[in-house]
Amino acid sequence: EQEGVAYIAMEMLLGRSLQQMLRDPEPLALDTTAELAAQVADALEHAHQHSIVHRDVKPANVMVGPSGRGKLTDFGVAYVSTSTLTQVGTALGSPRYMSPEHVLGLKVDPRSDVFSLGVVLYEMLARRTPFDRREDSSVLAVLDRIAREPHVPVREIDPRIPAAFDQILQRALAKRPEERYQRAGDLAQDLRNYRSLDRSSATAYEATVALQVRPAPQPGAHSQLVEDIVAFERKLDREAETRKQAVEEEHMRRQEELRLQAEAAERRRAEQARAA
């Protein structure tokens, strides 16, 4: 903080964002996927130990250097337990990577970041997020699936993916926070040991994935969030229309200036011709 202004100073990084890497035609190698996701989990574990919840874990906020070292960036909407700058019920973050409790406007804690990292891991493996559908015309449908519907197992999208990843994702993407990894560090450990995960040691998450109970939304929480998002979309539409109108008005003003300049030039030429 300097002269009453709070700011964040961040390292200047070389490399590409994970979002850019996911646009490459070739998918990431499984070992690379597991290690990058584990590094993000390490970063979250460190933040959580300092009572910081990131709240916006997504591929665009993961930078990967030339050596393959990943770094989690952009703590701009992070929640600090001692801060008065954030509040329950405030929808911050990127919708497709939100946890169910975040979508419902409930209090978030470190397990919310675990869910978001689970979404990122799923996207790294399947090249799509777990709650998106091609027919979606609005983000509202995605938010509703996050809050209510279990994800499609990643091996149904690509059977070549090792079964251990579905086991990991099943736990990371559990609707109820108490059924997820309780620490990001535990997720990192499973990711680094995915090849040795014993299927016989799968927890009750896998046995009951098809029977997941939808969390009961808090009265008014979901509807309020939907209203907030709709209002936000309308605001964006109004701002876009205002910008478009301003551009059109500037274009018309410029055209009028050019017309007047052309008329003035024509008058000068006429006057010069008469004088000659």
Side-chain angles (χ1 to χ4, degrees):
E1 183 175 337
Q2 182 175 357
E3 297 180 357
V5 177
Y7 64 93
I8 297 176
M10 297 184 354
E11 178 184 5
M12 185 173 181
L13 300 173
L14 297 176
R16 296 193 298 163
S17 71
L18 179 56
Q19 182 183 56
Q20 292 171 315
M21 294 174 66
L22 291 176
R23 292 173 182 160
D24 292 343
E26 291 297 320
L28 293 171
L30 291 175
D31 286 350
T32 300
T33 294
E35 179 55 30
L36 278 178
Q39 289 180 22
V40 176
D42 289 339
L44 288 174
E45 176 71 13
H46 182 77
H48 296 162
Q49 288 177 356
H50 291 79
S51 301
I52 297 172
V53 182
H54 189 283
R55 298 203 304 179
D56 197 19
V57 179
K58 60 183 179 182
N61 286 340
V62 178
M63 288 294 296
V64 182
S67 67
R69 175 68 171 169
K71 296 199 175 186
L72 181 61
T73 69
D74 199 353
F75 282 76
V77 299
Y79 172 80
V80 182
S81 61
T82 57
S83 173
T84 59
L85 299 178
T86 56
Q87 60 183 344
V88 174
T90 302
L92 297 172
S94 303
R96 287 174 175 80
Y97 303 90
M98 284 182 175
S99 65
E101 59 271 22
H102 202 167
V103 166
L104 294 171
L106 306 177
K107 183 178 180 180
V108 300
D109 63 25
R111 296 170 297 183
S112 185
D113 284 342
V114 168
F115 186 96
S116 298
L117 179 53
V119 176
V120 173
L121 173 62
Y122 191 105
E123 185 175 7
M124 293 169 74
L125 293 165
R127 312 288 284 202
R128 46 163 278 197
T129 55
F131 303 103
D132 273 316
R133 302 291 182 271
R134 290 182 179 178
E135 66 272 15
D136 289 340
S137 59
S138 170
V139 74
L140 300 182
V142 179
L143 295 176
D144 190 64
R145 290 191 200 100
I146 290 172
R148 301 171 184 273
E149 296 182 14
H151 66 279
V152 175
V154 74
R155 278 172 55 81
E156 289 188 17
I157 299 173
D158 186 350
R160 297 170 298 178
I161 296 173
F165 282 106
D166 259 336
Q167 180 181 336
I168 293 170
L169 286 167
Q170 187 178 316
R171 191 172 179 186
L173 295 176
K175 299 297 184 189
R176 298 180 182 277
E178 61 269 21
E179 295 176 353
R180 289 179 212 145
Y181 288 98
Q182 299 301 289
R183 294 177 52 252
D186 295 336
L187 172 56
Q189 182 176 356
D190 276 359
L191 285 166
R192 290 192 169 101
N193 296 324
Y194 81 89
R195 291 185 179 276
S196 60
L197 283 181
D198 185 358
R199 296 294 295 164
S200 64
S201 66
T203 65
Y205 302 110
E206 187 167 22
T208 60
V209 66
L211 302 176
Q212 283 187 355
V213 179
R214 295 177 179 179
Q218 297 295 316
H222 192 241
S223 60
Q224 181 60 52
L225 180 62
V226 170
E227 290 176 6
D228 290 345
I229 293 175
V230 170
F232 181 67
E233 289 181 340
R234 288 174 179 169
K235 178 184 176 183
L236 290 180
D237 290 341
R238 288 195 300 269
E239 291 176 350
E241 185 62 30
T242 300
R243 288 194 297 270
K244 179 181 177 182
Q245 184 176 350
V247 169
E248 291 176 350
E249 290 176 352
E250 175 63 20
H251 177 71
M252 293 177 63
R253 186 189 66 79
R254 183 59 179 162
Q255 290 294 106
E256 180 64 13
E257 287 182 354
L258 293 174
R259 185 184 67 79
L260 293 174
Q261 291 173 4
E263 289 179 352
E266 184 62 28
R267 286 195 298 270
R268 286 195 297 271
R269 284 195 296 269
E271 291 173 354
Q272 291 171 356
R274 285 195 300 269

